[in-house]
Amino acid sequence: MNENDEAPDLHARQLLVLPDRDAADEAAQELAERRPALGRLDVVRDALAGEDDAEDAQWLVVVEAPEDGWTGELLLELEALAAEYEGWREEG
């Protein structure tokens, strides 16, 4: 890490950004089964700026940080799960 890099926020909400609702629902279910300690996972629609068409929406799985914060291993697991469903992970 260089002096301009910020340390990651180990208690920040994580978002799995996925292409459609089915992918988001499936990823949320899979994550809930793998990691029940993460608690309730919300699936929400995120319309792209300026777009009214439902086809131009992304779906988010909202994952709150565990009480002890994120570990590198868990963040990598979230990234891998999102990639399985053709999406990515963001801090939100």
Side-chain angles (χ1 to χ4, degrees):
M1 179 184 301
N2 70 40
E3 62 189 54
N4 294 329
D5 289 340
E6 291 183 32
D9 181 351
L10 298 180
H11 290 88
R13 170 184 297 147
Q14 299 297 312
L15 306 173
L16 304 185
V17 183
L18 301 164
D20 59 51
R21 182 167 190 151
D22 289 341
D25 287 338
E26 289 174 26
Q29 181 176 352
E30 186 173 336
L31 184 57
E33 290 171 2
R34 281 191 207 174
R35 301 284 185 162
L38 290 176
R40 181 171 171 239
L41 304 172
D42 292 320
V43 174
V44 297
R45 181 178 178 268
D46 182 39
L48 300 175
E51 298 295 334
D52 295 326
D53 188 353
E55 294 298 317
D56 293 325
Q58 297 170 325
W59 286 84
L60 308 176
V61 177
V62 181
V63 188
E64 298 295 337
E67 198 170 300
D68 295 337
W70 297 107
T71 64
E73 177 183 337
L74 188 48
L75 290 174
L76 289 174
E77 183 178 335
L78 293 178
E79 286 178 16
L81 180 63
E84 284 179 40
Y85 290 94
E86 299 180 9
W88 65 89
R89 177 187 64 84
E90 290 183 0
E91 199 171 281

